[in-house]
Amino acid sequence: MGGELGAWRWSTIKLFRIAERNGLSNRFLNGAKCAVSVYFLGHRPIRTANGPIFAQVEITNKCNLRCIMCKRYSMFGEGRHMPFDDFKLILEKIPTVTQIHFQGYGEPLLNPQMPDMVSYAREKKLWTSTSTNGLLLSPEKSLSLMEAGLDEIGISVDGSTAKTYQKIRGVNIREVEKNTKRFLKFRNEHGYKTKAWLLGVVMRENIEELPGIVDLAAEWGFDGVVMQHVTHSVEDVPENFGRSVTEDSFDGEKMLIQEAIDRAKSHGLVHVIHSLDYDKGLNCYWPWSGLYINVDGNVSLCSVTYNPVVGNLIKQDFSQVWNSKVMREWRSKLRNHICKGCKFHYYNKQYVI
């Protein structure tokens, strides 16, 4: 199962599994209405009647790495964990959501209550996923996440060689390889259902290794691979950060991306690999279908930018946030492509819902 068809097939499977958990509940009906309105019809009103269908929750902004493309340490310093009680309160306030993704500006597995949070979300019949650098995937942590019912896990691998990975992530790739293979071996032997994706950030520092990263995904036993362009914010970033390949790209880089796609197909991997073809017709969906909630409960427009803050789901009711004045203003601006500098949506034709 590979290629664009494979990606969309996995999206359909995921939606059906969510439906099986929820039946024809208000939550699922809201999701269906939102999908048709926002994704397929492109209807994006300033004030929306439907609720969000997914939420990305930052359960910690602490991290155990200093990756070259990340601004985390300049933003937060030491950081903190989201308390379990705050997480439960937030979920109570967003009853239309069908999916929770545990990720932010920190390493989610650092929060010792993460398995409890996953279990709590699953009790509410939510689809759960996370992204991790993989360094903390010990046997105990792996088992606790699978036992909690985690549906998907993405493990970040930004190089096919130890040298490139070390340059980008600052640590040895072999530890991640060991943890990943052990996680997948245990999953397969004991019948757990957690899907595993290799996640990569495409930048000038690793573009030549992109086909090799896809090969590595197959070798390690991943179910699929997702490669997206480096996106810090809608503004420019310092020169010493990971450098985007979307500006001044050349034919050789496009050939490398096509080769990576061809290899993913040959390996039978579900894949979402962003192209280098800018498409201004692609529209952002976040402010109409999703929420980004940081460790303090602040809600932002999306996962790329922390500002503006449109509300706080610990201190405010959902209705005060979802159609707040700030949210309505930014929906209006976004309809006019205020975020056209974003590297995510305008190069992404294979988005998996």
Side-chain angles (χ1 to χ4, degrees):
M1 180 168 63
E4 294 182 44
L5 177 61
W8 283 106
R9 187 181 298 162
W10 173 238
S11 299
T12 304
I13 291 171
K14 182 165 30 172
L15 288 173
F16 273 113
R17 288 181 181 172
I18 292 171
E20 288 173 356
R21 291 180 192 174
N22 290 277
L24 291 178
S25 63
N26 289 335
R27 177 190 289 159
F28 182 70
L29 292 174
N30 172 81
K33 181 174 70 172
C34 182
V36 171
S37 176
V38 177
Y39 294 120
F40 298 108
L41 299 180
H43 183 53
R44 300 186 299 163
I46 295 174
R47 182 187 291 272
T48 178
N50 64 269
I53 60 175
F54 67 89
Q56 182 170 328
V57 183
E58 179 185 71
I59 60 171
T60 185
N61 56 19
K62 289 176 173 285
C63 195
N64 54 343
L65 292 182
R66 286 184 179 240
C67 304
I68 63 171
M69 64 285 192
C70 183
K71 331 187 268 189
R72 184 222 162 274
Y73 278 93
S74 66
M75 296 171 67
F76 308 113
E78 183 179 348
R80 61 183 290 265
H81 297 320
M82 176 182 284
F84 189 23
D85 287 343
D86 285 356
F87 177 78
K88 290 191 289 186
L89 177 62
I90 288 169
L91 257 58
E92 293 296 331
K93 292 185 178 182
I94 49 174
T96 62
V97 164
T98 61
Q99 305 177 52
I100 295 291
H101 184 60
F102 297 87
Q103 184 191 11
Y105 272 97
E107 166 53 49
L109 272 60
L110 281 171
N111 190 324
Q113 293 184 299
M114 182 182 175
D116 295 327
M117 293 176 174
V118 172
S119 180
Y120 183 78
R122 283 299 307 270
E123 288 174 7
K124 291 184 169 293
K125 301 181 180 180
L126 300 179
W127 187 272
T128 57
S129 59
T130 192
S131 302
T132 173
N133 56 44
L135 291 172
L136 301 178
L137 273 179
S138 64
E140 296 77 18
K141 182 69 72 175
S142 298
L143 178 60
S144 67
L145 290 173
M146 286 187 273
E147 280 289 323
L150 184 68
D151 290 294
E152 293 183 74
I153 187 168
I155 300 175
S156 298
V157 183
D158 301 312
S160 63
T161 65
K163 181 179 179 181
T164 298
Y165 184 88
Q166 178 88 30
K167 178 181 178 181
I168 294 172
R169 296 276 169 176
V171 293
N172 194 318
I173 193 174
R174 299 308 164 206
E175 187 68 20
V176 180
E177 178 182 11
K178 179 187 72 175
N179 290 348
T180 299
K181 288 182 174 179
R182 182 178 58 217
F183 179 94
L184 293 172
K185 183 175 184 290
F186 190 86
R187 179 199 69 174
N188 296 338
E189 289 179 347
H190 295 275
Y192 290 102
K193 304 298 183 182
T194 307
K195 289 288 181 181
W197 297 77
L198 182 150
L199 304 181
V201 179
V202 182
M203 60 192 101
R204 294 198 181 278
E205 286 81 355
N206 67 1
I207 181 66
E208 293 186 357
E209 294 187 12
L210 186 55
I213 293 173
V214 174
D215 290 340
L216 187 146
E219 177 190 339
W220 290 11
F222 282 99
D223 302 299
V225 57
V226 177
M227 301 296 299
Q228 68 182 60
H229 297 300
V230 60
T231 297
H232 306 287
S233 67
V234 296
E235 298 86 17
D236 292 332
V237 296
E239 287 295 327
N240 60 320
F241 276 51
R243 297 168 296 161
S244 172
V245 295
T246 57
E247 290 90 10
D248 301 320
S249 60
F250 53 88
D251 290 341
E253 292 172 333
K254 292 183 178 181
M255 290 175 63
L256 286 166
I257 288 178
Q258 186 57 53
E259 183 179 351
I261 292 172
D262 292 341
R263 290 198 190 183
K265 291 178 180 178
S266 69
H267 290 307
L269 291 171
V270 180
H271 66 274
V272 182
I273 300 175
H274 292 199
S275 75
L276 282 171
D277 297 319
Y278 181 87
D279 187 344
K280 65 181 180 181
L282 296 176
N283 292 315
C284 180
Y285 52 82
W286 267 93
W288 289 271
S289 58
L291 293 170
Y292 180 83
I293 306 162
N294 80 0
V295 71
D296 299 312
N298 288 333
V299 178
S300 305
L301 283 175
C302 70
S303 61
V304 175
T305 177
Y306 246 45
N307 292 304
V309 173
V310 300
N312 185 290
L313 281 176
I314 295 174
K315 301 175 182 178
Q316 296 172 281
D317 291 334
F318 171 77
S319 60
Q320 296 175 290
V321 176
W322 185 236
N323 281 310
S324 67
K325 181 181 178 181
V326 178
M327 180 66 99
R328 297 197 310 272
E329 289 175 349
W330 276 86
R331 283 185 184 131
S332 178
K333 292 178 181 179
L334 194 58
R335 290 197 304 183
N336 296 317
H337 301 290
I338 192 67
C339 296
K340 64 179 67 174
C342 178
K343 306 297 188 303
F344 188 79
H345 289 280
Y346 294 109
Y347 296 91
N348 181 8
K349 296 185 179 183
Q350 300 183 43
Y351 180 70
V352 181
I353 298 175

